[in-house]
């Protein structure tokens, strides 16, 4: 924090200096937060400084300069937006969708520039992200923001200056002592995904219409006639272009232009590079594609621009798009299609999920025919009906979902969804508890084969019993053909029964049997998780295993005892109690144990309670007698944690035969290395303090 940002006592008459220092401090914090993405003070501190400046300016109005952070709050509504003519038109971009398009783009450019180049020279390109927002032009005169306009049709846009002033990522004054006489900065206004989610939550709470996506939310916020509303929405900005420039030399390249913008305090996205040739362009495309979902904002592709501005000029324009640039689009994540029907699916806990059956549509790189509608309330809230045209979204590996319907396209015979009263699979009544969003089939796994299948699929899944080769479809067949009912039946399967199934050769049947055999040796935490107790996820299962150390104690635990476990609240505790109150579930556990499913129980090997509390272990290589799971289970039972990678925070690395890079890293960082014997001793006795530590504490 900066010394001048505190409310120091100020001598009367020094108000000017105090206001200037508050303005500078607030600008700096804004810049750190919105441009550098590196907050310098807590929000509450910022607010304190802001209110101090506001109070000062109210008392002495002559202190309120036009670039003061207080002038971002937004004023009285405009009757309409004024039209603004762009001195230099705002361009659009040509699009490419495939590797071939990119290769052709690079070739076109090489052909035009061929005069001055040898045929081997690769073109230098500036690469950046293609933001999915609104293009804006900002006008700075002598460093001061004086105007902002939307792109409009490229020649004429709308004057949105009052709204743009509320965007804290946009400097009201450029940094540096020698700003250009005139600078028109072009870039994109957008909304971050988390700010979009918060905005929609607020809209929901206020009973107002939600926005379909961050782009619409950004557009809706920027095109508000009342800038006080814009001020309440967190908008961001990234620069990527230039219009008029007077009173400063034009940089020689696009990358140099962006570097200059950085020095002027303008927000420039860090995800950019200079690359060479089509190969460099495609590598950038794939790099960005891989991190797309993790970015805090939405992008719909990447943009390539010939880096050298003299070459850009030589290339010129085709219609209104520059020949020197290409937008390489990702497959669209949203598409329009028609809801042909709404059916319900029954999950492993009986949860009833309405699912939209869609006319097939290509979105997010695959053909989608179903999309989740989550639950009954969600269908009502979004008012999705059968026959509607809807926006379907598939982002990354996320399950496709219906975002919204298109009101103009609703047919007269559109049919609202009705929640069935009986389970479509087993006919048991569907019930919905008053305070729950989810309706459930009341049949349980005994009556409802959908729940049985779901439960078994969960039991076999990788993070539960990890039965390799026992996939969802195989389980469906086994249940449908009444070969199995419970998880215990899985361990009674024989080669003949399995080989008789569709698409099951004897070899794969044997593989499944081997996997079943292997799965019998497990950990208590995995076993608890595999049971599929409602509200008991992986983390809770681990805590239960760590706390109780053995299965019988978990099954016998009272609500009070369960509440002592980290992670367990009343809802989880009651769910566990009611699970084991059902004799069938207790019998299932006993049958599984009788079938040979086993684990190392904390109590059985007498591990002292918390000898390893606070210590993190990394396991690597093959230990002489313990499997890695056994070792992990013992460490966790003794209160330690097991991690997958070595860092400075790692307490010990347990190394067996053929340990690899983790061992090397541990040696490099000077982390204690244990063999199996040393690990067992440590678990029994706890860490022995070294003499220095003893003194230090
Ligand atoms: C977007 N939308 O992110 C341009 N754009 O350049 C980037 N748009 C552009 N550049 C010239 N990164 C015209 C439009």
């Amino acid at each position: 924090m900066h010394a001048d940002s505190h409310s120091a006592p100020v001598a009367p008459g020094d108000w000017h200096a105090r206001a200037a220092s508050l303005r500078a401090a607030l600008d700096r914090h804004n810049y750190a937060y919105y441009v550098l993405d590196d907050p310098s003070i807590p929000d509450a501190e910022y607010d304190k400084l802001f209110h101090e400046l506001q109070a000062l300016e109210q008392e002495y109005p002559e202190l309120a300069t036009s670039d003061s952070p207080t002038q971002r709050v937004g004023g009285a509504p405009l009757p309409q937006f004024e039209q603004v003519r762009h001195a230099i038109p705002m361009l659009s971009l040509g699009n490419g969708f495939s590797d071939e398009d990119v290769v052709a783009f690079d070739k076109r450019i090489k052909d035009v520039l061929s005069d001055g180049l040898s045929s081997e020279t690769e073109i230098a390109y500036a690469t950046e992200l293609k933001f999915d927002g609104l293009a804006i032009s900002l006008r700075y005169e002598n460093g001061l923001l004086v105007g902002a306009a939307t792109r409009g049709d490229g020649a004429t846009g709308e004057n949105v200056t009052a709204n743009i002033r509320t965007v804290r990522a946009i400097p009201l004054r450029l940094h540096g002592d020698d700003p250009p006489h005139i600078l028109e900065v072009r870039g994109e206004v957008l909304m971050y995904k988390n700010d979009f989610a918060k905005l929609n939550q607020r809209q929901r709470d206020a009973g107002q219409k939600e926005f379909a996506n961050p782009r619409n939310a950004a557009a809706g916020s920027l095109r508000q006639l009342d800038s006080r509303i814009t001020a309440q929405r967190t908008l961001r900005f990234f620069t990527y272009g230039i219009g008029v420039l007077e009173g400063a030399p034009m940089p020689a390249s696009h990358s140099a232009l962006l570097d200059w913008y950085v020095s002027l305090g303008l927000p420039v996205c860090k995800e950019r590079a200079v690359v060479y040739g089509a190969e460099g362009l495609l590598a950038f495309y794939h790099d960005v594609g891989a991190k797309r979902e993790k970015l805090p904002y939405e992008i719909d592709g990447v943009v390539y621009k010939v880096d050298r501005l003299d070459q850009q000029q030589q290339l010129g324009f085709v219609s209104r798009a520059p020949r020197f640039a290409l937008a390489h689009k990702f497959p669209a994540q949203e598409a329009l299609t028609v809801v042909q029907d709404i059916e319900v699916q029954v999950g492993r806990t009986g949860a009833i999920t309405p699912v939209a059956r869609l006319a097939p549509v290509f979105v997010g790189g695959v053909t989608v025919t179903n999309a989740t509608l989550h639950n009954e309330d969600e269908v009502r809230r979004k008012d999705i009906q059968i026959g509607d045209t809807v926006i379907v979204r598939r982002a990354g590996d996320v399950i496709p979902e219906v975002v919204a319907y298109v009101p103009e396209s609703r047919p007269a015979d559109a049919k609202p969804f009705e929640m069935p009263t009986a389970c479509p699979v087993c006919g048991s009544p569907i019930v919905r508890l008053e305070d729950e969003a989810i309706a459930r089939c009341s049949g349980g796994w005994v009556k409802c084969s959908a729940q049985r299948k779901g439960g078994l699929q969960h039991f076999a899944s990788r993070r539960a019993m990890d039965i390799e080769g026992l996939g969802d479809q195989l389980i469906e067949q086994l249940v449908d053909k009444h070969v199995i009912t419970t998880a215990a039946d899985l361990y009674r399967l024989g080669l003949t029964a399995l080989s008789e199934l569709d698409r099951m050769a004897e070899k794969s049947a044997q593989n499944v049997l081997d996997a079943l055999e292997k799965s019998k040796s497990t950990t208590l935490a995995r076993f608890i998780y595999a049971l599929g107790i409602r509200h008991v996820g992986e983390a809770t299962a681990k805590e239960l295993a760590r706390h109780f150390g053995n299965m019988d104690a978990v099954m016998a635990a009272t609500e009070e005892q369960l509440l002592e476990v980290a992670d367990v609240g009343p809802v989880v505790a009651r769910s566990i109690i009611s699970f084991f109150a059902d004799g069938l579930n207790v019998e299932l556990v006993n049958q599984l144990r009788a079938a040979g499913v086993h684990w190392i129980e904390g109590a059985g090997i007498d591990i002292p309670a918390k000898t390893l509390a606070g210590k993190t272990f990394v396991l690597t290589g093959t230990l002489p007698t313990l499997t890695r799971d056994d070792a992990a289970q013992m460490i966790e039972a003794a209160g330690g944690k097991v991690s997958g990678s070595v860092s400075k925070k790692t307490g010990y690395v347990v190394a067996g035969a053929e340990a690899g890079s983790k061992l090397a890293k541990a040696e490099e960082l000077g982390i204690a290395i244990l063999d199996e014997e040393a690990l067992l001793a440590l678990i029994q006795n706890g860490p022995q303090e070294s003499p220095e530590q003893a003194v230090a504490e």
Side-chain angles (χ1 to χ4, degrees):
M1 205 181 301
H2 304 278
D4 59 356
S5 63
H6 281 298
S7 325
V10 180
D14 260 358
W15 300 124
H16 263 284
R18 180 63 188 158
S21 114
L22 283 168
R23 275 199 300 271
L26 288 164
D27 275 342
R28 240 185 351 257
H29 298 313
N30 255 336
Y31 177 73
Y33 190 98
Y34 288 97
V35 181
L36 302 181
D37 231 352
D38 184 16
S40 45
I41 51 166
D43 290 357
E45 284 296 313
Y46 180 94
D47 292 345
K48 232 162 67 192
L49 300 177
F50 188 89
H51 290 132
E52 187 190 342
L53 179 60
Q54 228 174 8
L56 261 180
E57 290 178 349
Q58 231 154 41
E59 190 143 343
Y60 307 100
E62 72 278 10
L63 294 181
T65 57
S66 73
D67 63 342
S68 170
T70 58
Q71 303 304 299
R72 290 185 184 273
V73 289
L78 304 169
Q80 63 179 65
F81 293 115
E82 259 174 64
Q83 299 282 303
V84 191
R85 203 165 170 81
H86 300 298
I88 297 180
M90 288 183 77
L91 305 168
S92 55
L93 291 171
N95 289 326
F97 298 93
S98 65
D99 288 11
E100 291 76 49
D101 292 346
V102 176
V103 171
F105 165 72
D106 178 51
K107 179 164 184 315
R108 269 197 315 275
I109 285 169
K110 271 181 154 172
D111 288 347
V112 177
L113 299 178
S114 61
D115 280 0
L117 295 176
S118 91
S119 57
E120 266 102 84
T121 314
E122 294 291 2
I123 308 288
Y125 294 100
T127 56
E128 50 198 37
L129 306 183
K130 182 161 190 319
F131 303 106
D132 204 5
L134 281 96
I136 293 288
S137 185
L138 307 175
R139 187 175 167 94
Y140 287 91
E141 287 178 6
N142 300 316
L144 214 57
L145 177 70
V146 295
T150 62
R151 179 174 177 281
D153 63 5
T156 308
E158 288 175 326
N159 181 346
V160 287
T161 311
N163 290 343
I164 281 295
R165 292 177 67 86
T166 70
V167 178
R168 282 162 64 177
I170 295 178
L172 298 176
R173 180 186 286 281
L174 297 175
H175 293 187
D177 302 328
D178 192 19
H181 175 48
I182 296 175
L183 171 62
E184 274 180 21
V185 173
R186 270 119 195 232
E188 202 91 350
V189 165
L190 46 97
M191 190 177 281
Y192 275 19
K193 294 185 230 177
N194 61 349
D195 292 321
F196 165 71
K198 280 189 225 157
L199 170 60
N200 263 357
Q201 184 62 52
R202 287 208 308 268
Q203 294 287 104
R204 237 186 337 262
D205 293 346
Q208 285 181 335
K209 193 176 161 302
E210 288 177 50
F211 294 96
N213 53 45
R215 204 201 104 79
N216 288 5
S221 304
L222 199 64
R223 298 198 67 267
Q224 279 289 337
L225 289 166
D226 186 346
S227 58
R228 288 169 300 194
I229 295 177
T230 316
Q232 291 161 17
R233 313 268 173 89
T234 310
L235 293 173
R236 311 274 179 154
F237 182 73
F238 285 121
T239 53
Y240 52 65
I242 188 159
V244 179
L245 173 64
E246 285 175 19
M250 183 66 89
S253 65
H254 186 72
S255 50
L257 171 70
L258 297 185
D259 292 341
W260 183 45
Y261 280 168
V262 172
S263 75
L264 293 176
L266 288 160
V268 178
C269 179
K270 287 193 197 75
E271 308 287 340
R272 61 186 172 112
V274 174
V275 305
Y276 297 87
E279 218 171 285
L281 296 177
L282 290 172
F284 182 77
Y285 176 83
H286 291 294
D287 273 1
V288 173
K291 47 180 150 172
R292 179 184 187 187
E293 288 311 312
K294 289 202 207 82
L295 294 172
Y297 38 75
E298 291 199 341
I299 57 174
D300 55 357
V302 294
V303 180
Y304 312 137
K305 294 171 181 168
V306 170
D307 196 32
R308 275 170 50 181
L309 297 199
D310 61 331
Q311 292 183 334
Q312 287 193 2
Q313 256 174 357
Q314 211 180 323
L315 285 154
F317 302 85
V318 264
S319 63
R320 271 188 299 152
R323 205 188 264 125
F324 59 77
L326 183 76
H328 189 182
K329 299 286 225 34
F330 293 131
Q333 292 185 317
E334 289 187 359
L336 288 179
T337 189
V338 173
V339 177
Q340 295 173 326
D341 200 358
I342 299 177
E343 293 174 5
V344 298
Q345 256 170 16
V346 188
R348 76 176 160 86
T349 59
I352 304 281
T353 308
V355 177
R357 305 283 176 222
L358 306 168
V361 61
F362 192 72
V363 57
V366 298
T367 300
V368 168
T369 51
N370 301 308
T372 179
L373 290 165
H374 300 292
N375 58 55
E376 191 180 2
D377 291 348
E378 190 81 351
V379 183
R380 300 266 172 272
R381 194 168 62 73
K382 291 183 175 167
D383 187 20
I384 310 279
Q385 303 192 6
I386 299 162
D388 273 340
T389 296
V390 291
I391 302 169
V392 177
R393 181 177 170 80
R394 181 184 178 272
D397 292 330
V398 183
I399 306 168
E401 63 168 356
V402 175
V403 178
Y405 80 102
V406 182
E408 306 84 76
S409 308
R410 171 162 289 174
D413 62 349
K415 243 178 47 202
F417 165 70
E418 268 178 55
M419 180 57 95
T421 52
C423 172
V425 176
C426 72
S428 304
I430 288 178
V431 291
R432 182 173 163 185
L433 298 181
E434 226 166 73
D435 51 352
E436 280 204 13
I438 308 288
R440 284 174 204 279
C441 160
S442 58
W445 59 264
V446 177
K447 288 198 197 125
C448 185
S449 69
Q451 292 185 51
R452 215 145 53 226
K453 287 176 190 168
L456 287 162
Q457 285 162 352
H458 171 77
F459 183 84
S461 65
R462 199 168 56 80
R463 311 194 73 92
M465 299 300 282
D466 192 18
I467 308 173
E468 231 175 289
L470 190 65
D472 289 359
Q473 266 134 35
L474 193 52
I475 289 175
E476 279 201 17
Q477 270 198 69
L478 289 166
V479 172
D480 287 340
K481 296 189 170 155
H482 303 285
V483 184
I484 59 170
T485 311
T486 74
D489 297 335
L490 286 171
Y491 294 99
R492 298 188 195 108
L493 283 171
L495 198 57
T496 336
L498 275 170
S499 310
E500 277 167 7
L501 297 173
D502 303 339
R503 291 189 303 266
M504 190 56 123
E506 193 167 312
K507 173 93 176 33
S508 357
Q510 187 56 52
N511 286 345
V512 171
L513 288 182
D514 292 347
L516 276 161
E517 196 54 39
K518 198 170 132 212
S519 76
K520 286 182 184 172
S521 173
T522 187
T523 66
L524 178 55
R526 274 179 181 269
F527 184 76
I528 295 172
Y529 174 61
L531 292 174
I533 306 167
R534 236 165 99 194
H535 305 301
V536 178
E538 236 184 325
T540 308
K542 274 194 179 166
E543 288 299 335
L544 287 166
R546 200 193 312 236
H547 185 91
F548 290 104
N550 70 80
M551 194 64 213
D552 292 325
V554 177
M555 293 201 286
T558 61
E559 186 169 337
E560 225 164 47
Q561 289 167 330
L562 286 166
L563 287 172
E564 283 168 19
V565 181
D567 236 26
V568 174
V571 174
V572 182
R574 260 172 256 144
S575 170
I576 297 168
I577 300 265
S578 92
F579 185 88
F580 291 114
D582 185 339
L584 287 172
N585 289 328
V586 176
E587 196 181 315
L588 175 68
V589 170
N590 291 335
Q591 284 181 0
L592 285 166
R593 287 201 279 206
V597 176
H598 67 280
W599 52 85
I600 298 180
E601 295 213 324
I605 52 169
D606 192 26
I607 295 171
K610 298 281 173 199
T611 49
L612 304 183
K615 304 279 184 241
T616 300
F617 290 72
V618 173
L619 302 167
T620 176
T622 312
L623 298 177
T625 68
L626 290 171
T627 67
R628 206 178 276 202
D629 272 348
D630 287 345
Q633 159 93 24
M634 291 168 76
I635 290 166
E636 287 178 353
K641 286 217 151 61
V642 178
S643 155
S645 58
V646 179
S647 75
K648 273 185 279 187
K649 295 198 186 109
T650 307
Y652 303 91
V653 167
V654 183
E658 282 166 55
S661 61
K662 290 179 189 173
L663 178 57
K665 178 118 190 248
E667 282 166 349
E668 189 187 310
L669 294 176
I671 289 164
I673 295 161
L674 309 176
D675 59 10
E676 180 178 303
E677 203 181 322
L679 171 67
L680 292 172
L682 187 72
I683 289 173
Q684 290 301 322
N685 309 320
Q688 304 299 302
E689 284 176 0
S690 66
E692 302 93 291
Q693 273 173 330
V695 173
E697 279 172 15

